[in-house]
Amino acid sequence: MSEVLAPWQQRVYDKAAAALDAGRLPHGLLFAGPQRLGKRAVAEKLAMRALCMGHAPGEEACGRCRSCQLYSSRNQMDPVETRPDGTLAHPDGHPAHPDARFISYAVNDKTHKMRSEIVIEQIRTMSGKLALTPQYGENQVAIIEPADAINHAACNALLKTLEEPQPGRFLWLVSAQPARLPATIRSRVQVLEFRLPPRDEARAWLVAQGHKAAQADEALAIARGHPGLAHEWLEQGALALRAEVVTDLDRLTRDDSGAAGIAQRWAGDEDVALRLRFAADIAAERARVADGHDIRLLAAWFDQANRTRELLRTTVRAELAILDLLLAWPRPRS
Ligand SMILES: [Zn+2]
């Protein structure tokens, strides 16, 4: 993996890699922090280093040994495609590295649908494999993501594995919601925390990704300093989408006769959740500069916007829910 890490990722990686090379890396790690900060990229790079058969301490994975080649042979950019037993399949069916396990949402054998939680069979299979002798180097790595999706029974099985550490076996949990993990799990892993980087660093990184400085600043402002989110939004052209939401809300402030048309447009494409997220953000922003009565109205609207966004997952009547929301947009008292 030649992927260059962002500076905030590199800091976490360097610390963990030094511990790995010194033989001090604990059995259980929790990569914790907001989504899109590159937790998985760091875990992957560290895994390749742990499994490499040809590098000296202090060096990166060699990229040439059989382990490195096999590890790199699957396409990192493809969505994680997981078999029911928890192994990761290359899109063409090429087997993953025998000493690397990736556990995520698996397909339910009976319903053929993707499960919404990580289940005990996956953890048992993983633990069984971890108990075997590594096939290439001296280590085995299992990465579970999102670790907060492990259900109760699976957590108990995972706990057993965490309680019986074996040398050269690494069990890494990746989670954007670490507080959802049981305290019993959290107390048995060392946390590698990912935090939002300083603004200058985030900005420089965005510019290095090819974004214009002015756009980088604007995107960082609306992403509240989150470089990964700002990058994603810039790639998607989401700044224009947000500007459109501002225009729509301003129009509603003057006159709500266009609400039905706006609701139809908002509900009409795959950007609907992002529109509602931006709309909630805009309400929160305006509440910060409003006075008493308006603060309460905007705060209530903020809550309603978030509830409407949640509803999108369950309702087919998105347009009606959005229309309700738009009609509730605070207008000046006359
Ligand atoms: Zn290697």
Side-chain angles (χ1 to χ4, degrees):
M1 221 176 317
S2 57
E3 198 182 321
V4 180
L5 295 180
W8 63 89
Q9 297 164 354
Q10 190 71 43
R11 283 193 288 276
V12 179
Y13 174 79
D14 285 346
K15 200 173 127 191
L20 173 69
D21 290 356
R24 295 186 278 103
L25 195 67
H27 170 67
L29 287 180
L30 171 58
F31 295 71
Q35 269 173 7
R36 299 182 192 79
L37 277 186
K39 298 183 296 297
R40 179 62 180 252
V42 171
E44 291 266 1
K45 190 165 178 176
L46 198 64
M48 187 165 163
R49 184 169 175 143
L51 298 173
C52 173
M53 301 150 73
H55 78 114
E59 285 175 6
E60 293 298 339
C62 74
R64 293 177 306 275
C65 70
R66 279 162 63 210
S67 171
C68 282
Q69 291 196 345
L70 193 54
Y71 194 87
S72 307
S73 67
R74 66 197 178 82
N75 188 343
Q76 301 299 317
M77 291 304 118
D78 278 318
V80 177
E81 195 184 319
T82 323
R83 299 196 193 100
D85 71 347
T87 55
L88 187 90
H90 197 261
D92 63 8
H94 182 77
H97 194 300
D99 298 329
R101 322 277 312 163
F102 300 88
I103 294 91
S104 187
Y105 299 118
V107 174
N108 184 323
D109 280 341
K110 292 185 190 108
T111 64
H112 303 290
K113 284 188 183 147
M114 192 72 87
R115 291 184 198 274
S116 57
E117 53 186 23
I118 292 171
V119 298
I120 191 164
E121 292 76 26
Q122 293 175 272
I123 301 298
R124 281 196 182 132
T125 308
M126 175 205 75
S127 300
K129 299 277 181 186
L130 277 182
L132 304 175
T133 307
Q135 289 191 36
Y136 286 87
E138 295 166 355
N139 296 323
Q140 283 202 60
V141 179
I143 298 177
I144 306 182
E145 182 189 23
D148 44 88
I150 304 175
N151 73 14
H152 183 71
C155 265
N156 289 336
L158 181 68
L159 206 52
K160 271 191 199 138
T161 307
L162 282 169
E163 279 167 346
E164 296 158 8
Q166 296 180 60
R169 307 300 196 276
F170 297 113
L171 182 45
W172 297 343
L173 310 180
V174 181
S175 175
Q177 315 270 0
R180 289 191 189 166
L181 285 165
T184 45
I185 299 273
R186 276 183 285 142
S187 67
R188 280 173 180 81
V189 293
Q190 184 174 317
V191 178
L192 290 181
E193 186 141 8
F194 287 69
R195 294 191 183 90
L196 294 187
R199 182 63 65 109
D200 289 350
E201 187 175 290
R203 185 177 191 265
W205 178 79
L206 283 169
V207 170
Q209 306 310 303
H211 301 299
K212 294 200 177 76
Q215 291 216 308
D217 283 337
E218 193 187 342
L220 270 179
I222 63 173
R224 299 208 187 91
H226 190 316
L229 203 51
H231 177 59
E232 187 178 303
W233 285 349
L234 286 166
E235 297 280 296
Q236 292 173 347
L239 297 193
L241 189 77
R242 193 177 193 275
E244 193 189 304
V245 172
V246 170
T247 306
D248 288 338
L249 293 177
D250 284 345
R251 192 173 141 200
L252 290 171
T253 306
R254 292 189 303 270
D255 162 20
D256 65 9
S257 65
I262 297 172
Q264 193 180 26
R265 184 156 40 81
W266 282 21
D269 61 29
E270 70 277 13
D271 291 327
V272 55
L274 191 54
R275 278 197 174 89
L276 289 173
R277 176 182 178 147
F278 284 150
D281 276 357
I282 292 160
E285 228 167 57
R286 294 191 180 178
R288 279 193 284 278
V289 294
D291 49 27
H293 179 71
D294 289 340
I295 292 177
R296 281 191 296 280
L297 290 178
L298 285 163
W301 199 86
F302 171 84
D303 289 339
Q304 190 179 346
N306 286 325
R307 278 198 306 275
T308 307
R309 186 151 64 104
E310 291 291 313
L311 268 179
L312 292 178
R313 290 187 207 145
T314 53
T315 183
V316 288
R317 309 177 80 191
E319 195 177 320
L320 276 183
I322 291 171
L323 181 59
D324 277 348
L325 175 72
L326 295 177
L327 291 173
W329 176 250
R331 295 175 60 201
R333 284 159 289 167
S334 48

